[in-house]
Amino acid sequence: MNIIITRHGETNKNIGNFSDDRNYTGLNHDGEIQIQKLTKRLQLYKIDTIISSPVQRCIETANIINKTFKTNIIYDELIKERNNGVYADGSNIPWDDLEGDFIHKKAPEGESLLMVRNRANKFNRKIKTKYFKEDSTILIISHGGFIKNFIGNILKIGIKDSIMKFYIYNASFSEIQFTKNSFKIITLNDTSHLK
């Protein structure tokens, strides 16, 4: 089974590097162009299923891609971005003032990175049990922080290293081949199609 993972296209919040895990931020013009370019690259594959975060920027990304593939889109809460609670509107989070270490610290009413990693682990198991088909290709559309945790979970890399040492670009292309007992990362965070 092939899994292709992408981060949604660019939003205006991404330009300012603001946190935004609310549902209402959509793609900007450049983000739509990024996804159109990504779609051309994806045409080298037969996409059987799209699994998307149910957040506006991911929904828009999925809809642009699916104009070409016309396949089933599944929206999954497990692959949403980290919930930053009372700071989810993109306001600056005073991380230094919050209790806990790097992986346990969370905003009021929000999630810690450990909680996101647990979701990533659960989603990884779900892929292997619910979606696994030998010759299928699944496209996953999610968010930078979640994707870092998902890949880190697969590679058994600690949460801090996953967050600090990976970068996931908007509309990037990552491909992982899964068998029942192993995996192989073919491409990680490739943006050559965007040039």
Side-chain angles (χ1 to χ4, degrees), residues 95-114:
W95 291 114
D96 292 340
D97 298 334
L98 299 176
E99 293 182 8
D101 61 13
F102 186 83
I103 69 169
H104 294 95
K105 192 174 286 197
K106 63 179 182 174
E109 301 174 25
E111 283 183 298
S112 67
L113 286 170
L114 179 60

Side-chain angles (χ1 to χ4, degrees), residues 17-119:
N17 201 27
F18 290 107
S19 166
D20 179 27
D21 57 312
R22 293 276 169 93
N23 190 39
Y24 44 72
T25 304
L27 304 182
N28 63 22
H29 178 69
D30 287 344
E32 291 176 2
I33 291 171
Q34 288 173 339
I35 299 307
Q36 289 164 4
K37 289 179 178 179
L38 173 64
T39 302
K40 288 182 182 176
R41 179 170 185 171
L42 290 171
Q43 286 178 298
L44 297 172
Y45 298 81
K46 180 185 177 295
I47 305 295
D48 298 294
T49 303
I50 297 172
I51 304 175
S52 173
S53 163
V55 173
Q56 187 62 33
R57 54 198 181 275
C58 291
I59 292 170
E60 290 179 14
T61 297
N63 287 338
I64 291 169
I65 292 169
N66 207 33
K67 286 178 184 175
T68 296
F69 292 98
K70 297 176 174 56
T71 191
N72 188 30
I73 301 176
I74 299 166
Y75 295 102
D76 196 320
E77 295 278 334
L78 286 175
I79 64 174
K80 289 174 76 170
E81 187 58 289
R82 178 185 189 176
N83 177 1
N84 285 318
V86 298
Y87 299 107
D89 61 355
S91 55
N92 289 327
I93 303 172
W95 291 114
D96 292 340
D97 298 334
L98 299 176
E99 293 182 8
D101 61 13
F102 186 83
I103 69 169
H104 294 95
K105 192 174 286 197
K106 63 179 182 174
E109 301 174 25
E111 283 183 298
S112 67
L113 286 170
L114 179 60
M115 294 165 79
V116 178
R117 174 59 68 95
N118 288 339
R119 282 199 282 115

